[in-house]
Amino acid sequence: MKLPDTKEVQTEFKPKILAFCCNWCAYAGADLAGVSRFQMPTNVRVIRVMCSGRVPPELVIRALANGLDGVMILGCHPGECHYSEGNYLTRRRAHVLKRLLSYIGIEPDRFQLRWVSAAEGAKFSAVVKEAADKITALGPNRWGDKR
Amino acid sequence: MAKKSVLVIGGGIAGIQSALDLANMGFQVYLVEKTPSIGGRMSQLDKTFPTNDCSMCILAPKMIEAGRHPNIKLLTYSEVEEVAGDPGKFRVKIRKKARSVDEEKCTGCGVCMQKCPYKTDSEFQVGLAKRKAAYITFPQAVPNVATIDPDICIYIKSEGKKCGACIKFCDAGAIDFSQQDRIIEVEVGSIILATGFDLYDPSGLEEYGYGKIKNVITAMQFERMISASGPSGGQLQRPSDGKAPKNLAFIQCVGSRDTRHKLYCSSVCCMHATKEAILASEHYPDLKAFIFYTDMRAVGKRFQEYIARAEQEYKVTYIRSRPSEITENPDNGNPIVWYEETTARNRTSMEVDMVVLCQAMVPSGEQKKLSEMLNLKLNAYQFVDIPDRLFHPVDTEIPGVFACGFCQAPQDIPDSVVQASAAAARAAEFMSKEK
Amino acid sequence: MKATSEEVKTSVKKLFEDGSIGHFIGYEMGSDSLRVTPCFLKSGQAASRLVWNPLCANNLSKYLLDFGKVEGKVGIMVKGCDSRSVVELLKEHQIDRDKVFIVGVPCSGIVDREKLLAVLGVSPGEVVAVEDDGDAFLVTIKEGTRRVKKEQVLRGECLVCRYPTPVIYDMLIGEAVSSLPWVGDDYSSVKELEALSSEEKERYWSSELSRCIRCYACRNICPVCTCVECIFDKKAPRWLSKASDVSENLVYHLVRAFHVAGRCVDCGECERACPMHIPLRSLNKKVEKDILELFGYTAGIDVEQQPPLTTYQAGDLDEFL
Amino acid sequence: MAIPRIGVFICHCGTNIGGVVNVPEVVEYAKGLPYVVHAEANLYTCSEEGISSIKNNIKEHNLNRVVVASCTPRTHQPLFRNACADAGLNPYLFEFVNIREHCSWIHMQNRREATEKAKELVKMGVAKARWLEAQEEFESEVYPAAMVIGGGVAGMSAALNLANQGFEVHLVEKEPELGGRLLNLNRLFPINKAPDELVESIVKAVESHSKIKLHMPAVVKAASGYIGNFDVSIDEDGQETSFKVGVIIVATGAQVLKPELYRYGKLANVLTHLDLEQRLKDGELGEFQNVVMINCVGARIPERPYCSRLCCMTAIKNAALMKEINPEAKVYVLHRDLMTYGVEFEEYYRKAKEAGVRFIRYTPSKPPKVVGTKKVKSVKVYDELMDMEVELPCDLLVLATPLIPNDDNEELSRMLKVPIGDGGFFLEAHVKLRPVEFATDGIYVAGTCRWPADIRESVAQGYAAASEAAIPLRQGLVKVEAITATVDPRICKGCGTCVLVCPFDAIELKESKIRGLEGKIVAEVNAALCKGCGLCAAACPNRAIQQRGFTDVQLLSMVNALSGKR
């Protein structure tokens, strides 16, 4: 199957990225990043949930179909979930979802699962920078408002 | 049946913690604070080590909770005058000083502060800024009401003949110069002392030139300077010319561990100097900070890692030496720190833009008065004496009277909070026995 | 021995007679000789209508949901794939094992009607009968009987079927079939798509999904789509706009694939029902493949096995790049 | 639902937000958002002034939803919720937007984009607020008993305090004896007394207390439940016992590191301080003339960076004691920073110096070296002050090793669902202001299982934990934040997916009792067990189960708002 390259070259593309953060680790880590004044790109918007396991795949799919350039789920490190096992379930779902998204042509980097503890302000900012860089390199999400 | 009640003296973090614990347990608490707002020393801090949590941000919710708790009667701008009675049934007289402002009517809008023409040094800003005769100590004050300082208010001094700007401009009609000091009498089962600390005046250490060399300041002054809510909005401005310093020297053990001054270790200065050096380096990435220390006492959770971060990430230089003298370069006002290099054993010097003295901390001035009132023993350094320090670490020699936080020994915030809760537990236990 | 329509008729009749069942769900011939349709029986007399042949495509298991409140047991005829969706229904407490009587029939593949007509170059009315004959079908048309290799005309799911014999039953008619000779790599078509670049995949799926008219036939027929109120029918929140543009269709199909993740048994009903010929099984197969690779799980095998997305192992793959 | 009337309060936080984000611009933007009827800026929304403005505006504008854009809900949510409640608005009709930690503080160099981001965050908050619903908090009674795990000084102090306040206490100690680490000590610093009598008086008080039920030797086997209602089962001397408590205090202590340094365990005259104290106690120390003590053995090194807080004082104590036993002996303490913080420790140090103990500072880059093959004969150390290596004759080498976490911390952590942090010690809810609480309500921590601490600190923490534990015990009632799951039984198909994913066994499939649905099998949530994680809500295929405060419509509205959809 040979298809023409449709990748657009855009200058000054600033991707919009959504990050679901669990209340206990990732959100606290993001808070710590703030308190520590770790400077980072402005692309990421955080939605707080109590556990990464609260984020249903539907919401990730919806966000990407809405045209958001990337979606992240950030939770506690395995074994450190405030609810013991929420992040393990998230991890299983995320593996399946990431592969499914990739199957229809949504680049894997557009959906990321990362572990950030309450003490990892620096990691939070690193994760944000990395996501912003990678998604910027991918260019705009072509599935948004596709007709 | 009336609730059993407790008197907590001191509205800093320790007093607030004790008061909240007891109030949540269901006791009636009288929280007495001599200044116009609770919050204590912690409210003056910019950040707290080792997390760099914004101090006010974590303190404010507790202050507000204390301010609105139905079981806490907040008595600010008040001092204990007399304690009589016996353990389990102390009769306490509290002087509620005239604020010249009706606390019920005042909205804390601050118009009186704007209009008041008379100024004095701000205690909160450690003399780095002025405040008015009509003032609210700091923006998050609890209660958020104005106070009029009778020592400088011309209206009061002239017995109503002059000024009165505040009366004119207060829409709420809250200014009330007819207020008199009131004596409030309460009966309490138990008393908790949490009177905190004062800062040791470093001008007694003549070799460091505090008060003479403009660019030698204290750690608390630095704290206000680096704070976003400080007089310079977080900009470091050295006193001689307002320029931002490019290098800074912190001197540890100023008055502490010193045979001429205080023999004890003030316990928190190593860490707060490190914190201030980190904060300065964060604000000014090119700034160089030097910390002159005796022993680097980093004994708490994550403290060693904090020091390591200061060294590695912020390039803070730790120099193990106690400087012998600070002189001033007359050309540029730079302080020159004279010290002995530990290994080379040479007297050498370092010229910096500003020096921060980490002064000793001493029990608060009211401690002595209170101890006399209560007939309570103080130790050689005026800290509250704890007879069985190991197994009853918050019990004073008087049954039913407990002491927590800095008033009984130098300690950091978490240790003070622990002791404050411990004192609350002991008070609750004491009153349970006194059925 | 292969099961025959005759055996099915006698067995079911007997089940009615000895009181084992009060209802039966099976197949009967439909509007033309290439169609069978579901049939619902209330007594043994009608059992003569039943048929069993390589045209019995429908997965009847979803009809069990409609028989929740009837008296007595409901008998149902299941092929291998259908039996697996019965397992899923049992696992999710949608049916009561004590109220169903499962009549299993080993299946050696179902004819894809469209493929057959194309191969033979005939119209539906011209076919008289289709019979199973090992690796081929014997198709009787007016001109006589032709032997057509199964690989040419089997339905997609039958080409990769690993469970020709029902995994759960109360009665098995005919001899168990352990494997089908033509089944090789279950996921070769998935792998082909996986190998494409993101842009190529996007082009492919945009084109496929752009055809969806959102008739919801795939959902309605799916044996494991059992929700009382599908999230796509909800007003608040509205997960999907009415517009059937590609983005909305994407949401619909991806969410559907995810909702049946670890539950889909690849009975192929969705694709069979799709009027726009969207390769829906491809999405489901992709998920099935990943769940097998990641968690070693296959749906519809064991009622006691916990669904893969409701459990975990601490040592699950922790690599996301 | 009444038509939403949303009020938005945007905080300058002094210059913390206002210095980066153009707050007035965000206010103007907020005014244009759907259902927003009032928007304003506050210098500090958390100040009394800000709080009263919220209250006044709720009344003035008849607000039925409040959004505050300021700092983090993790610290300030209760405050603003209470403000709403004070003004008669259900506190769950409040939504928090974080534009400080998540915006102004991390985008200080980019004011334009920070302002745009703040607007979007506010838009998302308003979108969620539109769907907020009033909630009632679940209340449950507190069973008036406590379990204290660990019978050391911290645990005993906590137990006695609660018992004296009138609460029943189950004290669970794994050893057959109360007293913990103290039992191994020869003397206590800085009072230099033997611990025996002091400990005995506490042990007696514990043992004779009618309210304290002693379980010994016993270990906790299982614990389930929530604040006010924990079901605990323990193995007490081989027998399984179960009981119910309202609160749990963890005070399990720590152990002393046995080092693999300085030929410890290989040469007979190398001891840890704990070994030394045992020998002194048993009268088995024997003769000594030259004692060398090394501090920070196995501590303040890359793999174990922390300072164990009390070893310096232990070394000083034993060094002075060596001098006391044999005034002729030469006693050296080789140390790094000497951590004699506070009043008494500094004095303790001075007195030891006066008594003739020699202190030599070594640097970690040039650590002391042990000389000798069968026994230590001498110790070589680089003396920083003298700038030279000195060799100290030595017939007794004593190592100060740090406290390290107990091996069973991890098991307890899993059982109680409480976290372990730095270095394997238990992690408190907040290092500054909640030092003896776990993030999980109803479970508290004290003593050396939290971090190295000396006796007075451990006792104070024991009391402090008792103080926090006494609050729910005395209140007798706890409220659970209304973020628990709820089921719509009309939609629920009883598939049991939620039951499988719930980590707390809070959901059961039951026959519905609701009119019109009688007999239908549906999921039912036990609000007392539900901890509000929302796993069920994400797993439910038809969304019959929702997490209050984080419902699908709320989250989806935020996503749609962010992506510019309605």
Side-chain angles (χ1 to χ4, degrees):
Chain A
M1 204 179 313
K2 186 84 182 103
L3 295 160
D5 191 354
T6 57
K7 195 166 182 175
E8 289 171 51
V9 183
Q10 269 196 303
T11 50
E12 279 287 323
F13 163 62
K14 294 233 156 124
K16 207 181 265 189
I17 302 165
L18 169 62
F20 291 100
C21 288
C22 82
N23 182 64
W24 305 96
C25 294
Y27 197 93
D31 279 356
L32 181 59
V35 169
S36 314
R37 312 294 194 281
F38 293 135
Q39 301 302 299
M40 58 190 103
T42 57
N43 313 63
V44 172
R45 313 282 185 265
V46 169
I47 292 182
R48 184 177 70 103
V49 284
M50 295 311 285
C51 179
S52 62
R54 169 64 188 96
V55 184
E58 292 91 326
L59 216 47
V60 177
I61 294 166
R62 186 67 260 181
L64 290 169
N66 277 2
L68 294 181
D69 299 297
V71 179
M72 292 196 281
I73 299 179
L74 309 181
C76 307
H77 285 267
E80 292 176 10
C81 176
H82 184 75
Y83 306 102
S84 308
E85 49 200 48
N87 55 355
Y88 285 127
L89 296 180
T90 310
R91 184 168 68 181
R92 282 204 160 191
R93 279 203 293 259
H95 278 308
V96 175
L97 180 60
K98 197 178 178 77
R99 284 164 171 72
L100 179 61
L101 292 171
S102 159
Y103 193 63
I104 59 112
I106 295 180
E107 296 87 345
D109 282 337
R110 293 199 193 271
F111 169 60
Q112 304 188 5
L113 174 66
R114 287 284 182 278
W115 311 131
V116 177
S117 83
E120 291 177 332
K123 183 169 180 191
F124 178 82
S125 78
V127 161
V128 165
K129 276 181 203 148
E130 188 196 322
D133 288 348
K134 284 188 169 169
I135 296 169
T136 306
L138 290 176
N141 169 12
R142 299 175 306 274
W143 284 94
D145 289 326
K146 201 174 193 128
R147 296 194 179 273
Chain B
M1 200 191 84
K3 284 178 201 156
K4 293 200 172 173
S5 35
V6 189
L7 173 71
V8 177
I9 309 175
I13 182 60
I16 291 173
Q17 180 69 32
S18 289
L20 282 174
D21 276 7
L22 286 163
N24 284 331
M25 284 184 220
F27 295 98
Q28 171 67 49
V29 180
Y30 300 96
L31 179 55
V32 176
E33 163 60 40
K34 68 178 172 191
T35 72
S37 169
I38 57 169
R41 291 290 174 190
M42 198 177 161
S43 68
Q44 284 178 284
L45 305 182
D46 180 34
K47 303 282 148 53
T48 60
F49 57 80
T51 52
N52 281 4
D53 265 332
C54 155
S55 185
M56 187 53 90
C57 304
I58 54 177
L59 176 65
K62 290 220 175 209
M63 288 168 61
I64 292 182
E65 199 187 338
R68 60 187 294 281
H69 202 293
N71 289 347
I72 298 178
K73 172 79 184 146
L74 218 53
L75 295 162
T76 53
Y77 208 48
S78 303
E79 285 178 50
V80 175
E81 284 257 303
E82 189 187 307
V83 180
D86 300 308
K89 218 172 181 182
F90 294 106
R91 288 192 308 280
V92 185
K93 282 187 185 159
I94 301 158
R95 174 177 296 271
K96 188 158 174 46
K97 291 183 280 186
R99 222 179 188 127
S100 302
V101 172
D102 186 330
E103 289 184 27
E104 301 299 316
K105 288 185 186 160
C106 177
T107 62
C109 73
V111 165
C112 55
M113 291 163 69
Q114 283 166 19
K115 301 296 175 188
C116 175
Y118 299 98
K119 287 180 186 170
T120 186
D121 283 348
S122 157
E123 297 87 348
F124 185 74
Q125 307 288 16
V126 211
L128 291 177
K130 300 284 180 190
R131 66 155 169 85
K132 298 291 184 62
Y135 68 111
I136 297 173
T137 327
F138 53 95
Q140 299 90 335
V142 172
N144 186 23
V145 295
T147 304
I148 294 170
D149 182 345
D151 292 341
I152 55 164
C153 171
I154 292 297
Y155 187 91
I156 293 175
K157 284 183 153 179
S158 69
E159 293 177 342
K161 293 191 182 76
K162 291 182 187 163
C163 193
C166 50
I167 308 174
K168 202 166 116 196
F169 287 99
C170 178
D171 289 338
I175 309 292
D176 176 8
F177 282 108
S178 71
Q179 262 183 12
Q180 299 290 316
D181 287 7
R182 278 196 299 142
I183 302 294
I184 295 167
E185 287 192 47
V186 296
E187 194 178 284
V188 296
S190 179
I191 297 175
I192 292 176
L193 301 173
T195 50
F197 63 89
D198 279 344
L199 296 158
Y200 189 63
D201 180 0
S203 40
L205 289 91
E206 285 179 10
E207 65 273 27
Y208 288 160
Y210 180 75
K212 297 193 188 77
I213 305 172
K214 276 188 173 168
N215 294 327
V216 174
I217 64 168
T218 66
M220 191 55 102
Q221 287 176 321
F222 182 88
E223 196 82 33
R224 294 313 306 149
M225 218 184 252
I226 198 85
S227 171
S229 64
S232 52
Q235 304 301 310
L236 287 184
Q237 295 170 351
R238 62 180 205 157
S240 70
D241 52 14
K243 283 187 190 148
K246 292 201 167 51
N247 44 50
L248 273 177
F250 291 85
I251 318 274
Q252 301 302 104
C253 301
V254 176
S256 305
R257 303 183 71 189
D258 187 333
T259 46
R260 299 164 305 158
H261 300 277
K262 301 293 170 191
L263 283 172
Y264 58 82
C265 160
S266 293
S267 293
V268 295
C269 336
C270 286
M271 295 308 293
H272 76 62
T274 297
K275 173 193 72 183
E276 290 178 354
I278 288 177
L279 295 178
S281 305
E282 262 180 359
H283 281 235
Y284 303 95
D286 297 331
L287 182 142
K288 228 16 229 131
F290 302 88
I291 297 181
F292 290 88
Y293 71 104
T294 316
D295 287 285
M296 192 37 62
R297 291 188 172 160
V299 296
K301 232 171 175 170
R302 265 184 262 157
F303 287 8
Q304 290 289 332
E305 291 87 332
Y306 195 62
I307 304 266
R309 190 177 166 201
E311 280 185 296
Q312 287 150 22
E313 207 173 309
Y314 297 98
K315 310 295 172 209
V316 174
T317 307
Y318 288 87
I319 300 170
R320 186 163 182 267
S321 180
R322 190 180 277 217
S324 53
E325 194 182 3
I326 298 172
T327 56
E328 187 175 27
N329 181 339
D331 299 336
N332 52 16
N334 282 358
I336 302 166
V337 181
W338 293 89
Y339 66 103
E340 190 134 323
E341 283 185 291
T342 311
T343 44
R345 276 165 297 157
N346 289 329
R347 190 170 191 251
T348 181
S349 68
M350 175 191 284
E351 186 172 325
V352 292
D353 294 335
M354 194 157 83
V355 166
V356 180
L357 302 179
C358 295
Q359 79 246 65
M361 276 149 254
V362 295
S364 107
E366 67 192 298
Q367 192 108 309
K368 189 142 178 55
K369 202 178 91 189
L370 275 171
S371 70
E372 282 161 8
M373 226 180 279
L374 282 157
N375 206 9
L376 194 67
K377 202 172 139 199
L378 301 181
N379 70 16
Y381 309 105
Q382 308 292 309
F383 290 107
V384 176
D385 187 62
I386 304 293
D388 179 9
R389 207 165 233 319
L390 295 195
F391 297 96
H392 294 93
V394 295
D395 294 20
T396 70
E397 58 178 351
I398 303 172
V401 179
F402 306 95
C404 60
F406 222 104
C407 75
Q408 60 134 295
Q411 53 196 298
D412 65 4
I413 294 169
D415 285 357
S416 298
V417 170
V418 164
Q419 283 200 346
S421 284
R426 292 293 286 162
E429 184 181 349
F430 179 77
M431 285 182 289
S432 305
K433 284 182 191 161
E434 297 286 316
K435 266 174 195 162
Chain C
M1 265 290 288
K2 284 199 175 63
T4 61
S5 295
E6 286 316 307
E7 275 178 274
V8 171
K9 287 172 193 173
T10 26
S11 305
V12 172
K13 191 159 186 250
K14 205 178 281 170
L15 288 173
F16 271 112
E17 280 164 10
D18 66 18
S20 300
I21 56 172
H23 294 265
F24 190 78
I25 312 170
Y27 303 98
E28 64 183 327
M29 285 315 292
S31 52
D32 64 51
S33 51
L34 265 186
R35 265 190 222 282
V36 295
T37 62
C39 93
F40 307 93
L41 308 182
K42 277 189 192 163
S43 72
Q45 283 96 37
S48 57
R49 281 158 57 193
L50 293 171
V51 296
W52 166 244
N53 58 40
L55 300 170
C56 294
N58 310 53
N59 180 344
L60 303 173
S61 61
K62 198 173 186 179
Y63 293 113
L64 286 172
L65 300 179
D66 301 331
F67 286 81
K69 291 210 171 102
V70 298
E71 285 291 313
K73 284 195 182 188
V74 180
I76 184 168
M77 196 154 149
V78 295
K79 308 186 287 294
C81 49
D82 310 338
S83 74
R84 293 173 60 205
S85 55
V86 171
V87 167
E88 286 303 308
L89 292 173
L90 287 169
K91 209 181 257 192
E92 295 177 0
H93 316 289
Q94 298 304 295
I95 52 174
D96 187 346
R97 183 68 184 92
D98 298 335
K99 297 200 70 180
V100 292
F101 189 98
I102 305 168
V103 176
V105 277
C107 163
S108 299
I110 300 292
V111 171
D112 185 312
R113 173 187 161 95
E114 317 258 325
K115 281 187 195 168
L116 182 70
L117 294 174
V119 165
L120 296 175
V122 296
S123 64
E126 295 172 66
V127 179
V128 178
V130 181
E131 257 181 88
D132 194 305
D133 185 34
D135 64 346
F137 292 118
L138 293 178
V139 185
T140 310
I141 48 176
K142 283 175 191 157
E143 291 80 19
T145 299
R146 286 182 53 186
R147 196 165 188 277
V148 185
K149 286 289 256 181
K150 280 188 178 172
E151 271 126 299
Q152 284 183 284
V153 295
L154 277 180
R155 291 174 46 77
E157 62 274 17
C158 302
L159 286 168
V160 293
C161 173
R162 295 258 171 215
Y163 296 91
T165 301
V167 297
I168 186 173
Y169 50 79
D170 297 302
M171 167 194 268
L172 191 67
I173 300 179
E175 215 166 89
V177 177
S178 60
S179 66
L180 301 171
W182 54 82
V183 174
D185 183 353
D186 307 12
Y187 301 113
S188 57
S189 60
V190 171
K191 287 174 188 163
E192 262 172 51
L193 255 177
E194 282 175 343
L196 299 181
S197 72
S198 290
E199 286 83 1
E200 288 166 335
K201 289 173 188 166
E202 184 206 340
R203 292 300 292 282
Y204 173 76
W205 283 109
S206 300
S207 144
E208 295 294 340
L209 295 178
S210 68
R211 295 203 303 278
C212 176
I213 53 170
R214 292 248 296 282
C215 64
Y216 297 136
C218 50
R219 175 193 76 186
N220 296 345
I221 198 138
C222 176
V224 295
C225 265
T226 52
C227 289
V228 176
E229 183 186 272
C230 175
I231 71 163
F232 294 124
D233 296 337
K234 287 184 198 293
K235 296 246 160 31
R238 228 172 67 188
W239 286 98
L240 213 51
S241 88
K242 290 270 183 274
S244 61
D245 60 31
V246 176
S247 292
E248 297 303 304
N249 292 347
L250 176 79
V251 173
Y252 172 70
H253 288 288
L254 287 188
V255 168
R256 223 191 82 71
F258 213 94
H259 274 197
V260 299
R263 305 164 67 231
C264 170
V265 297
D266 195 19
C267 66
E269 286 289 74
C270 47
E271 208 168 278
R272 198 173 63 88
C274 179
M276 306 309 289
H277 302 289
I278 300 170
L280 297 169
R281 279 186 53 246
S282 178
L283 292 173
N284 297 337
K285 279 311 246 194
K286 166 63 181 162
V287 175
E288 182 190 304
K289 168 176 177 274
D290 290 335
I291 285 180
L292 181 63
E293 282 174 5
L294 286 163
F295 317 125
Y297 180 94
T298 304
I301 306 299
D302 178 0
V303 177
E304 297 305 317
Q305 204 179 359
Q306 191 164 343
L309 298 184
T310 65
T311 183
Y312 66 92
Q313 301 266 312
D316 282 342
L317 182 64
D318 197 48
E319 197 55 59
F320 297 103
L321 299 172
Chain D
M1 201 193 293
I3 294 171
R5 295 180 59 81
I6 304 175
V8 183
F9 299 83
I10 299 169
C11 180
H12 278 274
C13 195
T15 55
N16 281 308
I17 295 168
V20 177
V21 170
N22 185 336
V23 172
E25 192 181 319
V26 181
V27 171
E28 282 313 303
Y29 175 80
K31 283 180 181 165
L33 292 170
Y35 302 106
V36 171
V37 295
H38 173 76
E40 68 173 39
N42 310 105
L43 183 58
Y44 290 96
T45 312
C46 68
S47 66
E48 286 222 334
E49 197 184 335
I51 296 294
S52 51
S53 179
I54 293 176
K55 292 185 203 167
N56 293 339
N57 280 295
I58 289 174
K59 286 175 188 143
E60 190 178 324
H61 294 280
N62 202 14
L63 302 178
N64 56 18
R65 305 282 189 287
V66 169
V67 174
V68 170
S70 59
C71 47
T72 170
R74 296 176 63 255
T75 56
H76 281 62
Q77 178 145 292
L79 176 71
F80 295 127
R81 276 191 176 167
N82 284 338
C84 292
D86 286 350
L89 188 65
N90 183 290
Y92 289 88
L93 296 170
F94 165 78
E95 180 61 21
F96 214 118
V97 177
N98 185 336
I99 56 168
R100 192 181 68 179
E101 281 84 346
H102 294 187
C103 188
S104 68
W105 276 353
I106 56 172
H107 309 310
M108 290 158 95
Q109 317 305 333
N110 201 338
R111 295 173 171 209
R112 184 70 254 142
E113 285 184 25
T115 302
E116 291 308 319
K117 176 170 170 178
K119 285 184 193 170
E120 242 171 32
L121 291 172
V122 167
K123 183 182 179 191
M124 290 161 75
V126 167
K128 180 177 177 184
R130 180 238 179 284
W131 292 101
L132 290 175
E133 288 170 85
Q135 304 290 353
E136 290 309 318
E137 288 178 347
F138 173 79
E139 286 184 354
S140 88
E141 280 183 22
V142 176
Y143 190 83
M147 169 168 73
V148 177
I149 313 174
V153 272
M156 287 194 294
S157 305
L160 274 175
N161 183 270
L162 289 174
N164 283 337
Q165 290 194 50
F167 299 106
E168 192 191 338
V169 180
H170 294 271
L171 181 57
V172 181
E173 166 57 49
K174 70 177 167 194
E175 302 294 333
E177 204 178 353
L178 287 171
R181 254 324 122 221
L182 252 61
L183 299 172
N184 309 115
L185 300 180
N186 175 52
R187 280 188 181 184
L188 307 179
F189 68 77
I191 56 171
N192 287 344
K193 284 188 191 155
D196 310 58
E197 276 179 37
L198 300 166
V199 176
E200 207 180 282
S201 72
I202 301 174
V203 169
K204 262 196 187 141
V206 170
E207 284 174 344
S208 63
H209 205 294
S210 62
K211 288 279 184 184
I212 298 178
K213 176 92 182 72
L214 208 51
H215 303 278
M216 196 170 68
V219 287
V220 180
K221 279 297 179 199
S224 62
Y226 50 93
I227 182 170
N229 279 288
F230 290 105
D231 287 305
V232 180
S233 81
I234 61 170
D235 180 334
E236 186 171 359
D237 217 359
Q239 282 210 305
E240 187 113 329
T241 314
S242 301
F243 48 83
K244 204 173 184 61
V245 295
V247 292
I248 297 173
I249 294 174
V250 178
T252 51
Q255 54 183 333
V256 176
L257 176 77
K258 285 196 184 294
E260 287 176 10
L261 290 160
Y262 301 109
R263 322 247 291 272
Y264 175 79
K266 298 193 179 74
L267 304 186
N269 57 346
V270 184
L271 307 178
T272 63
H273 279 281
L274 199 60
D275 298 333
L276 174 68
E277 302 211 21
Q278 194 60 52
R279 292 203 187 173
L280 285 166
K281 249 177 124 104
D282 300 343
E284 283 172 1
L285 182 62
E287 300 277 300
F288 58 88
Q289 196 55 49
N290 294 300
V291 184
V292 177
M293 297 180 172
I294 304 176
N295 284 6
C296 296
V297 175
R300 302 180 65 198
I301 51 175
E303 55 269 41
R304 198 178 291 107
Y306 63 88
C307 159
S308 179
R309 197 172 173 111
L310 37 95
C311 338
C312 281
M313 276 66 81
T314 304
I316 292 168
K317 170 185 75 179
N318 286 331
L321 183 60
M322 295 282 102
K323 267 313 238 190
E324 195 182 303
I325 297 170
N326 178 4
E328 300 304 310
K330 287 204 164 65
V331 182
Y332 290 92
V333 175
L334 312 184
H335 62 91
R336 288 171 62 186
D337 294 288
L338 209 56
M339 306 298 191
T340 54
Y341 57 95
V343 177
E344 287 155 315
F345 297 158
E346 190 64 19
E347 203 171 287
Y348 202 49
Y349 168 43
R350 255 192 334 270
K351 283 193 177 147
K353 276 201 287 195
E354 283 164 20
V357 176
R358 291 278 315 276
F359 289 85
I360 296 177
R361 192 183 163 95
Y362 74 91
T363 49
S365 55
K366 293 176 188 167
K369 280 173 279 189
V370 172
V371 181
T373 44
K374 294 205 173 102
K375 292 181 85 176
V376 179
K377 290 200 177 113
S378 66
V379 175
K380 286 182 179 173
V381 62
Y382 168 76
D383 184 333
E384 212 178 47
L385 277 174
M386 315 256 294
D387 190 20
M388 61 183 282
E389 188 173 79
V390 291
E391 182 162 359
L392 309 168
C394 173
D395 53 25
L396 180 60
L397 178 62
V398 191
L399 308 176
T401 57
L403 285 181
I404 57 170
N406 274 344
D407 301 328
D408 50 11
N409 281 11
E410 283 189 23
E411 198 185 331
L412 204 55
S413 147
R414 270 194 301 275
M415 216 183 303
L416 299 175
K417 299 184 163 77
V418 294
I420 287 180
D422 302 71
F425 294 97
F426 283 110
L427 181 65
E428 62 278 61
H430 189 281
V431 69
K432 277 291 187 201
L433 295 188
R434 293 175 68 192
V436 297
E437 295 165 69
F438 280 115
T440 309
D441 293 338
I443 311 184
Y444 313 90
V445 61
T448 51
C449 64
R450 171 190 168 268
W451 193 248
D454 65 16
I455 295 167
R456 75 183 163 136
E457 290 160 350
S458 298
V459 171
Q461 287 173 29
Y463 285 141
S467 181
E468 301 309 321
I471 292 170
L473 290 175
R474 281 183 178 268
Q475 288 180 345
L477 204 64
V478 286
K479 286 187 173 182
V480 181
E481 194 184 355
I483 54 169
T484 52
T486 54
V487 178
D488 182 343
R490 290 175 303 111
I491 302 171
C492 177
K493 61 174 172 173
C495 70
T497 305
C498 51
V499 178
L500 294 176
V501 299
C502 177
F504 307 106
D505 297 330
I507 313 175
E508 274 182 279
L509 290 181
K510 281 187 176 170
E511 277 192 21
S512 176
K513 293 192 183 81
I514 292 168
R515 252 181 68 191
L517 299 173
E518 291 94 343
K520 184 183 177 191
I521 304 291
V522 292
E524 200 175 293
V525 179
N526 179 347
L529 290 173
C530 176
K531 297 218 189 310
C533 60
L535 294 184
C536 52
C540 176
N542 55 346
R543 300 307 153 87
I545 194 161
Q546 291 286 338
Q547 183 188 8
R548 295 189 288 170
F550 297 89
T551 61
D552 276 359
V553 66
Q554 289 164 358
L555 296 179
L556 186 60
S557 299
M558 293 178 91
V559 170
N560 285 343
L562 174 59
S563 33
K565 298 211 166 193
R566 283 218 51 197

